[in-house]
């Protein structure tokens, strides 16, 4: 199009025709400060060649992907007499890609084949809404894939059995958390790195320096997130896996290497106990205050005495008092009696039978101790069993 002389004068309709913008758009640009106000002559507004040039600048920047807000900042810098070369370079660096990943295309049949061979229009619509897929104007059988890696993750999760709605919901949740991390990183770098460039219109040299800093810092956010995600997954995945495997394994039976007595002692430790010289003294003290089943109540287990002292030894006739299984010969372990809630003992007895009740409780306690030890090791602890 032939350049118009700067002294040319236009009505708003003529300016719209020459610039390609609508009258409504021109007025909106004026209201937002992107376009200077026209000269008023009587009841008419007169626009000049500078207005036409500005409208063409705005159109060119919009075509390059700039927002109206960033365009306003650029034009203000230009009006202040600054060279826009450095400023445009800085804006281009910020607006540029933050990943080396390149977009690709996928046809509708290939997309259906990747997700089990059936086209799901509702899932496609949700993927478009999330930006995982983008529709291509005029091509209904092909989609743009901005991030092939993200689509590949969805394909793998679906092939592993995850439903498409669950994948979409997971992506929405992760995206919100990642956007929070990105905002936090930008706040951090703005405060400590870019603040000197923001308190005044940057010169060309300052804009070039800021653009170089953006190039240097661009990969740091992803590197930090990658490292921290790997650390968290290593710690939590180990803990989760061991926890769920311990629940899936059958209850272990007592062995000579780890007598059940040692596991049951952790339960008994909540009650005060005086060390005694031998087992005979403890049995005598227990039989003196054990009481009778009638005194304790039907189906109940006698509790420890109010005053500090040894736990009473409950006679075998009391159904809910669980004694240790016989100690392994030569192990040096001394059998002890542990008082448990009557409901727990009755539930175990109904599950495994009376003859296996003591062994089951001992194995369960031992497995809990092992699980807590593994948790402590996985979280970087010393490997000691947590007390709570």
């Amino acid at each position: 199009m032939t350049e118009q002389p700067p002294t040319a004068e236009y009505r708003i309709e003529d300016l719209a025709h020459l610039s390609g913008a609508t009258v409504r758009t021109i007025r909106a640009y004026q209201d937002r400060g992107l376009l200077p106000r026209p000269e008023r002559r009587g009841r008419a507004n007169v626009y000049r060649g500078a207005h036409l040039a500005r409208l063409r600048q705005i159109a060119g920047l919009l075509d390059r992907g700039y927002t109206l807000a960033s365009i306003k900042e650029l034009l203000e810098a230009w009006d202040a007499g600054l060279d826009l070369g450095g400023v445009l370079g800085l804006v281009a660096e910020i607006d540029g890609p933050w990943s080396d990943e390149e977009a690709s295309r996928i046809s509708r049949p290939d997309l259906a084949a990747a997700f089990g061979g059936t086209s799901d229009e509702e899932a496609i619509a949700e993927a478009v809404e999330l930006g995982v897929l983008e529709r291509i104007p005029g091509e209904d059988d092909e989609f743009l894939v901005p991030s092939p890696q993200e689509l590949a993750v969805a394909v793998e999760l679906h092939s592993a059995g995850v439903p498409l709605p669950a994948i979409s919901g997971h992506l929405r949740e992760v995206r919100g958390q990642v956007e929070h991390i990105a905002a936090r990183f930008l706040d951090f770098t703005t405060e400590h790195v870019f603040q000197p460039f923001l308190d005044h219109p940057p010169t060309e040299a300052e804009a070039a320096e800021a653009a170089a800093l953006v190039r240097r810092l661009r990969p740091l956010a992803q590197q930090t997130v990658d490292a921290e995600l790997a650390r968290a997954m290593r710690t939590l995945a180990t803990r989760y896996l061991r926890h769920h495997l311990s629940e899936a394994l059958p209850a272990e039976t007592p062995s000579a290497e780890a007598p059940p007595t040692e596991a049951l002692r952790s339960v008994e430790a909540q009650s005060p106990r005086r060390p005694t010289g031998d087992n005979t003294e403890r049995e005598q003290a227990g039989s003196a205050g054990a009481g009778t089943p009638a005194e304790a109540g039907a189906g109940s287990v006698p509790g420890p005495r109010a005053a500090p002292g040894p736990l009473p030894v409950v006679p075998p006739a009391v159904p809910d008092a669980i004694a240790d299984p016989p100690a392994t010969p030569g192990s040096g372990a001394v059998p002890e009696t542990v008082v448990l809630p009557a409901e727990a003992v009755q539930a175990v007895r109904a599950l495994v039978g009376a003859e296996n009740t003591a062994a089951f409780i001992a194995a369960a306690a031992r497995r809990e101790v092992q699980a807590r030890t593994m948790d402590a090791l996985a979280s970087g602890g010393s490997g000691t069993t947590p007390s709570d």
Side-chain angles (χ1 to χ4, degrees):
M1 181 177 296
T2 305
E3 290 293 333
Q4 301 297 317
T7 56
E9 298 181 351
Y10 312 100
R11 297 177 305 164
I12 191 170
E13 292 81 7
D14 298 330
L15 184 64
H17 174 72
L18 292 171
S19 67
T22 64
V23 171
R24 182 177 180 181
T25 298
I26 293 174
R27 287 173 175 158
Y29 287 169
Q30 289 176 182
D31 293 339
R32 298 187 66 163
L34 292 166
L35 194 66
R37 291 287 177 179
E39 180 184 345
R40 188 76 175 175
R41 287 186 188 172
R43 301 179 62 181
N45 290 326
V46 177
Y47 295 86
R48 297 185 177 277
H51 293 92
L52 179 59
R54 176 59 58 89
L55 286 172
R56 289 173 176 171
Q57 289 172 349
I58 294 173
L61 291 171
L62 287 173
D63 289 341
R64 294 175 59 181
Y66 294 107
T67 65
L68 289 177
S70 61
I71 290 174
K72 182 179 179 181
E73 293 178 359
L74 291 173
L75 296 177
E76 287 175 349
W78 196 337
D79 292 339
L82 300 177
D83 186 347
L84 278 187
V87 177
L88 286 173
L90 173 58
V91 175
E93 196 68 48
I94 295 173
D95 288 346
W98 285 72
S99 170
D100 295 334
E101 190 175 16
E102 295 183 359
S104 64
R105 292 190 175 201
I106 188 170
S107 66
R108 187 180 291 270
D110 288 343
L111 183 64
F115 287 94
T118 304
S119 181
D120 188 333
E121 292 301 321
E122 184 177 347
I124 290 176
E126 189 161 16
V128 170
E129 180 186 349
L130 289 168
V132 178
L133 300 175
E134 291 183 7
R135 300 189 187 276
I136 302 175
E139 299 185 30
D140 295 335
D141 292 332
E142 196 168 17
F143 297 93
L144 182 70
V145 184
S147 173
Q149 292 180 1
E150 193 169 50
L151 181 62
V153 169
V155 170
E156 288 297 323
L157 289 174
H158 185 261
S159 66
V162 182
L164 288 175
I167 296 175
S168 300
H170 176 70
L171 176 58
R172 291 181 189 276
E173 180 181 357
V174 169
R175 180 169 294 177
Q177 295 171 346
V178 170
E179 287 177 356
H180 172 75
I181 294 173
R184 188 66 191 89
F185 187 83
L186 290 174
D187 289 343
F188 172 79
T189 53
T190 297
E191 178 183 357
H192 297 284
V193 179
F194 295 106
Q195 192 59 49
F197 302 97
L198 302 177
D199 55 5
H200 64 281
T203 64
E204 184 177 2
E206 288 175 332
E209 182 182 354
L213 284 172
V214 171
R215 285 192 295 273
R216 285 176 50 195
L217 300 181
R218 187 193 300 272
L220 297 188
Q222 183 171 351
Q223 291 172 5
T224 301
V225 172
D226 286 348
E228 284 302 307
L229 180 61
R231 180 199 62 78
M233 289 297 295
R234 182 175 61 250
T235 301
L236 296 180
T238 301
R239 188 179 304 169
Y240 274 46
L241 180 62
R242 292 186 176 182
H243 173 71
H244 289 295
L245 282 179
S246 66
E247 288 185 344
L249 292 175
E252 299 179 10
T253 55
S255 61
E257 289 77 9
T261 301
E262 298 300 320
L264 289 175
R265 280 202 188 107
S266 65
V267 179
E268 184 184 326
Q270 299 178 11
S271 301
R273 190 175 188 84
R274 275 204 311 265
T276 56
D278 53 40
N279 196 46
T280 303
E281 179 183 350
R282 183 167 59 249
E283 290 180 354
Q284 291 173 349
S287 61
T292 64
E295 293 170 349
S300 64
V301 179
R305 302 182 185 187
L311 287 175
V313 178
V314 182
V318 179
D320 295 330
I322 301 301
D324 290 329
T328 304
S331 65
V334 179
E336 298 181 5
T337 297
V338 177
V339 178
L340 300 175
E343 313 87 75
V345 177
Q346 292 167 2
V348 172
R349 183 180 292 113
L351 181 65
V352 300
E355 67 279 5
N356 295 321
T357 298
F360 182 94
I361 294 176
R366 179 169 171 243
R367 187 170 64 181
E368 176 66 18
V369 171
Q370 290 174 336
R372 295 194 181 196
T373 301
M374 288 189 291
D375 285 348
L377 290 172
S379 61
S382 61
T384 56
T385 304
S387 60
D388 56 348

